[in-house]
């Protein structure tokens, strides 16, 4: 059972930045595809970004391309989401997710692709 713990959320003004972290308990972290999703009040959970197990490829929702950056440190068992130029519409609970995969070039962009989820961290962007 993989445990994921997010941190780094908070309250920030429009235009500000935050860096989210997600630490995994799994020793074989490098075998896992990692993703970030978010869920705003009254909305479904949506894909934000994903990174292959090797870290060589990244994928983003159109709404955050050029604004957010996903990265990972396999030695530390941690995935990050750097969020810049934040806007009020980025306000949501952000979740990291993990899925074990033997394929180093694969990611998943839907919630169904991930077996393990963190508890979420709140990001609030004030106008």
């Amino acid at each position: 059972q993989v445990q994921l713990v997010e941190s780094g959320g908070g309250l920030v003004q429009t235009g500000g930045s935050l860096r989210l972290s997600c630490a995994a308990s799994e020793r074989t972290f490098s075998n896992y595809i990692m993703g970030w999703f978010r869920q705003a009040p009254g909305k479904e959970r949506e894909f934000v970004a994903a990174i292959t197990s090797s870290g060589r490829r990244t994928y983003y929702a159109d709404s955050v391309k050029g604004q957010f950056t996903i990265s990972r440190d396999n030695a530390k068992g941690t995935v990050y989401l750097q969020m810049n130029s934040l806007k009020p519409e980025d306000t949501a609970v952000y979740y990291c997710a993990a899925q074990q995969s033997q394929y180093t070039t694969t990611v998943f962009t839907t919630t169904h692709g991930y077996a393990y989820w963190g508890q979420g961290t709140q990001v609030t962007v004030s106008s």
Side-chain angles (χ1 to χ4, degrees):
Q1 186 77 8
V2 178
Q3 293 186 331
L4 304 172
V5 180
E6 301 102 332
S7 61
L11 174 64
V12 64
Q13 292 185 335
T14 296
S17 297
L18 284 174
R19 188 195 196 202
L20 305 184
S21 299
C22 173
S25 63
E26 179 57 45
R27 288 184 301 167
T28 58
F29 178 76
S30 61
N31 294 338
Y32 285 76
I33 300 165
M34 299 300 297
W36 285 98
F37 290 76
R38 67 185 179 185
Q39 188 167 17
K43 295 188 177 181
E44 293 187 353
R45 192 169 299 188
E46 65 174 3
F47 170 74
V48 173
I51 188 166
T52 57
S53 57
S54 66
R56 294 193 184 98
R57 296 188 182 182
T58 58
Y59 297 84
Y60 299 93
D62 288 343
S63 58
V64 304
K65 280 181 183 177
Q67 181 188 1
F68 291 3
T69 302
I70 187 171
S71 61
R72 66 190 295 161
D73 185 333
N74 283 348
K76 294 183 178 180
T78 303
V79 63
Y80 305 96
L81 186 69
Q82 177 68 43
M83 306 186 295
N84 299 326
S85 303
L86 285 162
K87 300 169 282 188
E89 50 264 44
D90 295 316
T91 295
V93 177
Y94 283 71
Y95 298 89
C96 73
Q99 176 60 46
Q100 189 172 19
S101 176
Q102 61 180 314
Y103 303 110
T104 60
T105 59
T106 299
V107 295
F108 300 110
T109 59
T110 67
T111 58
H112 301 295
Y114 295 88
Y116 304 101
W117 293 85
Q119 82 287 351
T121 185
Q122 176 71 47
V123 171
T124 303
V125 185
S126 64
S127 57

